[in-house]
Amino acid sequence: MEIILERQDIQNWHKRHIYMKTEKLIENIPPRCNQEEESFPFCTRYVDIFIVSTDHIRERSENELIMTGVQHEEYLKKKSKKIQRISPNKMFHWCHRSRLIPHMVMVVGVPGVGKTTLMQKIVYDWVKGDLYQRFSFVFFFKFRKLNKLDKVSLETLILHHYPYLWQQLGNIFQDPEKLLFIFDGLDESNQTMDFTSRHLCSDPKQPERCGHIVVSLVRKSLLNGCSVLMTSRPTRLASMDCRDFQRMVEITGFFTEERKIYFDNFFRDPELAEKAFTYVRQNDTLYTFCYLPSYCWIICTVLSRSFQTTSSDQQVSLLPKTVTQLFAIFVANILSNHSLEKSGAQKLLQSIGWMAEHGVMNHRVIFDGRDLESFHVDNKSKLLSSFLMESEEPVSYSFLHLTVQEFFSAFVHYADYSPEKLQESLERALSYCDGRGEMFLRFLCGLSDATTRSLLTGYLATQAAQASRDVITWLKNFIPEEQIQAHSEDHKRHLLRTFFYLFEARNADLVQESLKSYTCIDLSTVRMSALDCAVLAFILDTCKTIEELNLTGCFLQTEGLERLSPGLHTVKYLSLRANNLTNHSCISLASVIRTNPFLRKLHLSYNRLSGPHLSDLMGALSSPTCEIEELRLADNDLTDTCCIQLASGMTNPSLKILDLSRNRLSGPHLEDLMKALSSPGCRIEELYLDKVGLPDTSCIQLASGIRNNPFLKRLDLSNNFLSGHHLKDLMEALTSSTCKIEELHMLGNGLSDAEEEAVRNLRTLKSNLKILI
C-alpha cells in the first residue's frame, strides 16, 4: 500500500510539472525587436485545427505547403459531406481502417500547421483530466532536443527530462499499458529511423541511439503495450515504411470559421479583425495559405501594422497583393524597428540568406552552431532573433517558418548578387522533382518587381536591378512554346507554374511579351484549385491576345469559376466542360456573357447546371450584347421544365448551334422549346437532341418547330424512342417546303423496317437531305 501511495504522489507531481510547461500558449514576437514574446492561457488562445484520417503518405511532386493548401481547398468543398475527421480525444479509439484500437499513431502535417501545438493541447487536456486518463504517465520529447544525445538508455532519456521520477521509474515500467510516449518532429531528427529494422532493443536500461529506442518502442520490443504518438512533416515519411503505425492522421489546419476566430483573437479589436479578415478573404493568393496557423500569424502581423498606419496612401502601399509582397513587408517591418546600422543588417541578411538557400535546396530546416559559423552568421546579433528561433539543450536554430526561410533563400540573390550563383540556384531549384524549389522560384520572380523590391531599399546589393533582369530573362525562356504546350500534360502544368511566376512578378509588360505568341491556352484535364483560377484570371486580364481557353475537365467547381470569371472578358472560345459546375455557377456564367461581347463559343457540357439559376444564364444569352454563336449544354441534368428557361435564350439571332443532348427533355414543356425554335428571332442552324428521352408523341412538337424554322440545317435526334404512330408527323414536317434541314441523324431510335424505309424515302423528295439511320 505504501508503494501505491508513493506512485500516486509521483504521478500527481508529474502532472503538476507538465501542467506548468503546457498551461501557456506562447505566441511569436511581432516584428519589433524590443518586445518580448507573449504568452496566453492555453484555453483562451487555442483554436481548433482540422484533422483527417489518411491511408499513407506518398512521394510528393509539388511543394508540400502548396500541395496541402490545394488539398485543404478540397476539404473545404467537402466539409458538408462525409469526411472522417479525427478529434484529438479519439486518436487512440477504434480505427476502422486498421480494425483495432491503435497504440502507435502518426500525426502528419506541413510546417506551421500546428503539430507541436496539438501535442501541447493533448498533454494539457490529459493533465486536466479531460482525455486519455487510462495513461498514468505521459512523456513528451522533441526530436530536435534528442539530436545531440549519444547512446543513452530509455531510462536515462526519461530521467534527463523528468529527474524527479528516479525512485519510481522501475515500478512505472512494470505497467507499460499506462504509458504514452510523445515524440514531436520526426522530420527534425538527424538520426536514421528504420521502422522495418530487426535489430531492436528490449531492455530500458540498455544504452542505444535515440532513433533505435524510438523504433524499438514502435515495434513493441521495448515496453510492449505502451502507446506512441509521433509527429512529422510529410516529406520525411514519403520514403519510410510506416506500416507499424496503426493510425495515420493529417492536420490540414484551419477552416474558414477557425481562421476568423484566429483573426479575432489576434487583433482583439473586432472592427480591425473584421477589416483584416475581409481583406485577406478577398485575396485568394493570401487566403489559400491561411489554413496554416503560423501563416495567419505572419499575415495578421503585417496587416496590424498596415491598418494602423495613419496616412491612407501609405496604408494602401503596405497592403500586400502577392505572397512575395507579404513577406517583403513582414521583413521590412522587422528591419524598421531594429537599432543595427543598415550595413550591419545587410551583412546579417546576406549570411542568413545563404544559409536559408542551403537549407531549402537540401531539405534542412534545423541549423546548429556549425552552420552559423560556416555561413558567417553573427549569433550575437540582436536582429538574428527576429528571424531565427533558438532552441536550447542542445542549441539549434530554425527560421520562424519554412516560408520565411524560402523568402530569404530568394532575397539573398538581390542582397548579395552573383550571376554565377543565381544561375546555379535556378538550375538546382528546377532539378528537384519534389517541389522544394517552387516557393524559392516564386519569391525570386516576385522580387524582380521593382515596387516590391523597393520595400527593402537599403538592404539590397547595388546590382539588384541586374539580378532582376537576369530573372526576367530566365522567366521568358522558361515559358514553353504554344504548339508544344497544347499537346503535353507536362507542358500544361509547366505553363501553369509559369503563370504563378508571372503573377508574383506583377509585370504587365512581361506577361504580354511572354505570351504574345499565344492565342490559345489549353489546360484541359489539369486539376485546378481556386488559387490557380485566380492566377489564371490575372494572366487573361493582362494578356489580351488569348482567344481560346480550354479548361475541360479541370474540376473548377463554382468557387473556381467565380475566381476565374473576372479574366474572361476577352476570350472568344471558352470550354468549361466536365468541371462539376452547379446551378449556382449560372450566376457567374451570366456575368461572363454580359461582360464579354467577344465570346462566340461556350461549351458547358457534362456539368450540373439544372435549376432556377439557369434563367440567369438564359437571360444573359438573350441580352443585346451577347453574340454567342455556339452553346453546348449536353449532359447537364436538364429536365422538361428547363425547356421554359432554354426557350428564352433561343431567341438570340446570333445563336447558330445549340447542343442539348443527354438530358431529360421529354414532357409537355418541349413545346416551349419548339415554339422558341420557330419564333422569328431564332436563327439556330444546328440542334442536337441526342439521347434526351423523346417518345414518338414528341414528334408532334418537333414537327411544329422544324416546319417553321427556315434556318435549321442539321438536326440530331439519335438514341431516342421515336418509333410509333406519330413518327409520320415528323416525316411530313421534314418534307414541307419551309423545312431547310440538310442533315438528319436518327440512329438508335428502335425504328421498324417499314419506318426506316419511310425515312430513307425522304431523300427522293429532298435530294440534298443527308440521313443517318
Side-chain angles (χ1 to χ4, degrees), residues 51-52 86-88 90-93 95 98 100-108 118-119 122 132 134-135 180-183 186 195 217-218 226-232 237 242 244-250:
I51 308 167
V52 297
I86 308 295
S87 58
K90 293 183 178 178
M91 297 280 196
F92 294 99
H93 285 199
C95 178
S98 60
L100 49 75
I101 295 176
H103 287 272
M104 307 297 158
V105 177
M106 175 65 76
V107 179
V108 186
L118 176 63
M119 295 304 103
I122 289 173
Y132 299 143
R134 65 186 176 94
F135 298 123
L180 171 61
F181 292 88
I182 298 178
F183 293 98
L186 174 62
F195 292 109
L217 287 169
V218 172
C226 74
S227 296
V228 175
L229 182 60
M230 196 177 299
T231 72
S232 178
L237 297 182
C242 298
D244 283 299
F245 289 93
Q246 297 138 343
R247 166 169 275 152
M248 295 190 71
V249 299
E250 183 166 9

Side-chain angles (χ1 to χ4, degrees), residues 139-150:
F139 303 114
F140 189 2
F141 303 100
K142 293 188 176 184
F143 277 110
R144 180 187 296 196
K145 293 188 176 183
L146 304 181
N147 282 339
K148 290 294 181 67
L149 295 181
D150 201 0

Side-chain angles (χ1 to χ4, degrees), residues 139-183:
F139 303 114
F140 189 2
F141 303 100
K142 293 188 176 184
F143 277 110
R144 180 187 296 196
K145 293 188 176 183
L146 304 181
N147 282 339
K148 290 294 181 67
L149 295 181
D150 201 0
K151 283 189 174 183
V152 292
S153 65
L154 177 61
E155 184 178 85
T156 304
L157 182 62
I158 292 174
L159 292 178
H160 179 72
H161 288 80
Y162 308 99
Y164 50 84
L165 296 178
W166 68 275
Q167 285 184 315
Q168 281 292 333
L169 197 55
N171 290 329
I172 292 171
F173 284 161
Q174 295 301 312
D175 204 357
E177 290 81 6
K178 294 187 176 182
L179 305 182
L180 171 61
F181 292 88
I182 298 178
F183 293 98

